[in-house]
Amino acid sequence: MAKKAEELLCYIFEEILPEHGMSLRENQKELSLEMLRALIENKLALCEAEVGTGKTHAYILALTIYNLYAKTKASAVISTSTIALQKALTEEYIPQISNILLEHKIIEKPLTFVIRKGKKHYVCDTRLRTYESSIKNLDRELDQKLLIELKRLTGENENLLDLDNAILTPYVKGRINVLQCRESCPYAVLCRFMNFKKKCMLSGIDFQITNHNFILADLIGRKQGRKPLFPAYHAIVLDESHKLVDAARQMYSTFLEEQELERLLALANGNRVMGVRSMERLEQLSSHILKNSELLFERLGYGLSGNHTREGSRESFTVGLIEQIYIKNIIYGLEQMALLCKEDGGNRTRNVQRGCQNLIDKYNIFLNSNYFICWMEKRENGRLAMCVIPMELERILYEDIWNRAIPSILTSGTMSVRGDFTHFRRNTGINFAPDRRIMETSKESPFDYKNHGMLYIPERMPFPNIRDGKYMEILMEEIKKIINATHGHTLILFTSYWLMERVFYGLKEEISGYPLFMMGKGRLDVISNFRKSGNGVLFASDSAGEGIDLAGDILSSLIVVKLPFPVPDPVMEYQSRQYDDFELYKQDIIIPAMLIKLRQWMGRGIRRESDSAVFTILDSRASLCGKYREEILNALPSMPVTDRLVDVADFIIRKKADSYFEE
Ligand code: SF4
C-alpha cells in the first residue's frame, strides 16, 4: 500500500497540480509524503512548515490518499485554532482539491466535510422561536432589523444553524443558542440541531473540521463516560498546533467565579415551590454559604482586590487549613440545600439540585489540590475567580491524545527553534511517547528573505523599561522615524496593551500623512480598515502577531517593540520551581518560548513571493551587545541586518514600485 500511495501522491504533485496552475514545490511534495508515511506508520508527526510552504494542500492530499488506500474507510479530523482557517478549508482548499481529483478520476465522489464546534455556536429552534415572539410582542420599530435576521435563521436549511455567520450581538446569540439544550425537549425529533448532530455522526464523511477545544472536549468527555462527539476516525491533523497548549490549559482548568454561587442562591431563593419552613431553612443555608464564600474569596483574593490590579491579573495560592474550613462549610451548605430541594421541591427544583452538585464538584477539586496549580484571577467584570489546573497536564495530554493508536499530524508555521522541537514536545506531552513513534520535520519558507527582507536593529535603544521616561521618549522617536522611512505600511507589535496605548496616544498628534489604527481586544474590524487604508500604521498586540494574513504592500514594515517573553503566570511559576537553577529554566522554557513567538510575529511580514518587508526589533537585548542577539539571529530567516535607518529607507525605495509612495 505504502509504495503505491506514495507514487500516486508524487504523481499528483508533479503532473496533476501543475496542470491546474499550482507549480511544483519540492518542499511541499516532500512534506506531504512525510505526512502520508506518518499516517501509514501510525506516527505522531511534528511537521513545521514555514509560511508559503503550502501545508494545507499537503495534508489534505496526504489524508485523501491515505483513506483511498486504507482497508477500512473512515473520517479524518482536522482541527484548527481559527475560524478563518476553517473557512478557508471548507470554502477553498477542500473543494479545490476535490474538483481536481474528481476530474482526474482519482476519487469517485466529491470529498465531504462537516464543521464541528461547541453548542454555543448553533441555534436552538425552540429558543429562537421563543425569543422571536418575545420581540414581536414588543412591536418596537428598532427591532425590525433584528427580526429580519432571526427570520433568516429559521427554515429547513441546516446551514442556517451556525451562529458565527449571523449578524447578531453576543447577547442575542446567548439567548438563542443550544447551550441550554434539555434532554427532555419535546421538539427533539424535529430539531435541526439534533438532525445535524446525527448527520455528523454518520460514517462516510471524509473530513470532520473542528477546533482544538472541541476535540479536547470530546476526549475529556469520553474519559468521563460521555458519548463521543465524533464518529470513529482513523487520523487526525492538528493545524495551528502552536495554539494547542493554550486550548488544553483552558479545557483542563476548572474556574469557579465568585458570582456562580450568588446566581445559584438567587435561583434557589426565587424558586417559590417549597413550604414556608423549607424556605426559611433555605435562607439560613444561603447566608451560611455566602458568608463562607465571602471570607474565602477575601482571603484568597486579597492581593488582587482593589483598582490597582488589572483584568487578567493572577496570583497563585495554596489551600491551607483555614481555606479548607471555609470550603468544607460551603460544601456542607450546598449538600444540605440540594437535599432540602429534593425532599420538598422534587423535580421542580431539579435545576437548583444540579447547580448545587456542580458547585460541590468544583469546590471538592480545591479541597484535594495537592496535584493542582491553584490561582486567583481577576475577570473582565472586575470580579474574582478561583482557578485550578492539573500539575501534570503534559502527562494527561499524552494519555488522552497521543497514547492512542491513531496517527496524528501536528503542523504549524512555528513549532521549533531552528528545527529543535524540545520545547514543543515538552509542552504538549508528546515527550512521553516513545521516540520511535515520533517523527519530526521542518520545512523552511520558500520566500527569498535575503533579497526581500531586511532586519533593522538600532543600537541607540536603552533597556526596555517602561517606567523610564527616557526610554519612552527614545522609543516613540524611533518609531516615528521608521514610519517615515517606510512611508507608513507598518504593523507595530506590543507585548502589553498598556504600552501600546501609551505609544499610540503619544504619537497620534506627531504623525501625519499615515492613518493610525489601534487594535483593542477583539477589534478584528480594525485589521480590515488598516488593509483598506493602503499606507496606514497599525498598533496591535499579540492577537495580531498570529494568524492574520496581510499580504502585499500594506505590511511592508513590522516593528517588534519588546521581545515577546512569556508573561509569568501561575503555571510558569510552578514550572520554574521544578528547576534548581533559574538559568537552566530560562534556557529550557523562557528563551525558546520567546523565540518561537518572535518567529510567529515575524511571519506576518512576508506572506507572498512578491512581498518585501523591513523587520525591526526595538529591544536593546537584540542589539550588538545584547544578551539574546545570537539566538535571535539564528532563529530568524537569514536576511541582511543593519543598524542604520538610512538602509531601511533605501531598501524601501529599491523594493517598492512608484504606486507605493503615491498612496
Ligand atoms: S432538542 Fe435541544 S436544541 Fe433542539 S429544540 Fe430542543 S432544546 Fe433546542
Side-chain angles (χ1 to χ4, degrees), residues 457-487:
I457 309 177
E459 287 299 316
R460 65 190 285 249
M461 294 305 299
F463 184 81
N465 175 5
I466 53 173
R467 285 184 191 84
D468 175 1
K470 193 79 197 146
Y471 164 72
M472 293 301 291
E473 196 184 300
I474 296 177
L475 175 67
M476 290 200 226
E477 220 174 80
E478 191 62 42
I479 290 177
K480 198 170 125 186
K481 284 183 187 164
I482 300 167
I483 291 171
N484 285 328
T486 59
H487 301 257

Side-chain angles (χ1 to χ4, degrees), residues 396-415:
I396 294 173
L397 288 179
Y398 168 68
E399 293 298 342
D400 289 356
I401 317 178
W402 318 122
N403 192 17
R404 304 181 301 156
I406 294 180
S408 308
I409 291 170
L410 293 93
T411 187
S412 163
T414 38
M415 298 164 79

Side-chain angles (χ1 to χ4, degrees), residues 12-25:
I12 292 170
F13 275 102
E14 288 163 8
E15 306 293 335
I16 295 180
L17 295 189
E19 269 183 43
H20 295 266
M22 298 158 77
S23 54
L24 173 64
R25 281 182 267 173

Side-chain angles (χ1 to χ4, degrees), residues 36 113 117 150 169 205 271 274-275 286 302 304 328 334 350 365 430 432 478 508 542 552 579:
L36 178 63
F113 59 82
K117 39 195 167 185
L150 293 175
T169 61
I205 296 169
N271 233 338
M274 300 195 292
S286 297
Y302 180 72
L304 294 179
K328 281 180 187 167
L334 288 168
R350 219 166 49 182
I365 298 177
I430 288 179
F432 289 104
E478 191 62 42
K508 212 169 166 222
D542 192 21
Y579 285 81

Side-chain angles (χ1 to χ4, degrees), residues 124-126 178 180-182 185 187-188 191 193-194:
C124 160
D125 285 337
T126 305
V178 178
Q180 293 178 7
C181 178
R182 289 165 287 126
C185 172
Y187 305 106
C191 162
F193 174 70
M194 286 297 170

